[in-house]
C-alpha cells in the first residue's frame, strides 16, 4: 500500500520551468514543491495575474492553462484506452521470403583508369565533371 502525504500552505508561486502557477506544497497537483527565492502569492489568481497576465485565459479570468489544478479529467491509468490492433496474419504462411533480395552491382572487369577519356572539346558554360587544379587559360 502506498500512502501519499501532502504538506500544504496557501502560498502560490510561478514555476518558470513549466510556466504555471503552483501551490507551495509537496504532493500531487496543484503542489509544485517548496518554492525558494521566488515571490509568493496568497492565491492562484493573484499568481496568474502577476506573472501570466499575457495569457488570453487570464485576461478573461478563466485562468485556463495558468495553473496545474486538476480539471476533473479522468486520472491516468496504466491500461491502454483501446486494445492494440492485431498483427496481420496471412492465410498461407511460408518459411521463404516473398521477394529475394537484390544483388549489389558488380563490374566484371574493373580497371584503374576512368571509363571515359578526358574531353578535348571547346570550353562550355556547364561545370566540368573532372576539374583540374590549374586554369585552362591565364586570367585576363
Amino acid at each position: 500500500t502506498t500512502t501519499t502525504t501532502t504538506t500544504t500552505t496557501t502560498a502560490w508561486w510561478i514555476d518558470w520551468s513549466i510556466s504555471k502557477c503552483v501551490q507551495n506544497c509537496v504532493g500531487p497537483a496543484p503542489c509544485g514543491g517548496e518554492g525558494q527565492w521566488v515571490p509568493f502569492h496568497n492565491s492562484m489568481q493573484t499568481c496568474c495575474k502577476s506573472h501570466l497576465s499575457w495569457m488570453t485565459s487570464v485576461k478573461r479570468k478563466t485562468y485556463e492553462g495558468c495553473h496545474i489544478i486538476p480539471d476533473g479529467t479522468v486520472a491516468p491509468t496504466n491500461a491502454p484506452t483501446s486494445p492494440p490492433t492485431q498483427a496481420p496474419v496471412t492465410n498461407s504462411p511460408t518459411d521463404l521470403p516473398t521477394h529475394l533480395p537484390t544483388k549489389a552491382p558488380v563490374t566484371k572487369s574493373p580497371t584503374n583508369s576512368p571509363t571515359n577519356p578526358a574531353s578535348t572539346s571547346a570550353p562550355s558554360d556547364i561545370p566540368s565533371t573532372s576539374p583540374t587544379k590549374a586554369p585552362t587559360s591565364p586570367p585576363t
Side-chain angles (χ1 to χ4, degrees), residues 50-114:
S50 298
H51 301 288
L52 301 169
S53 61
W54 51 268
M55 294 176 69
T56 304
S57 62
V58 172
K59 289 178 183 175
R60 286 184 286 157
K61 298 183 181 177
T62 62
Y63 303 102
E64 285 177 39
C66 165
H67 53 79
I68 60 170
I69 295 175
D71 60 1
T73 58
V74 178
T77 65
N78 290 332
T81 54
S82 60
T85 57
Q86 297 295 318
V89 178
T90 181
N91 293 333
S92 55
T94 66
D95 291 330
L96 301 173
T98 306
H99 300 283
L100 295 175
T102 58
K103 294 181 181 179
V106 177
T107 183
K108 293 182 180 181
S109 55
T111 63
N112 290 330
S113 60

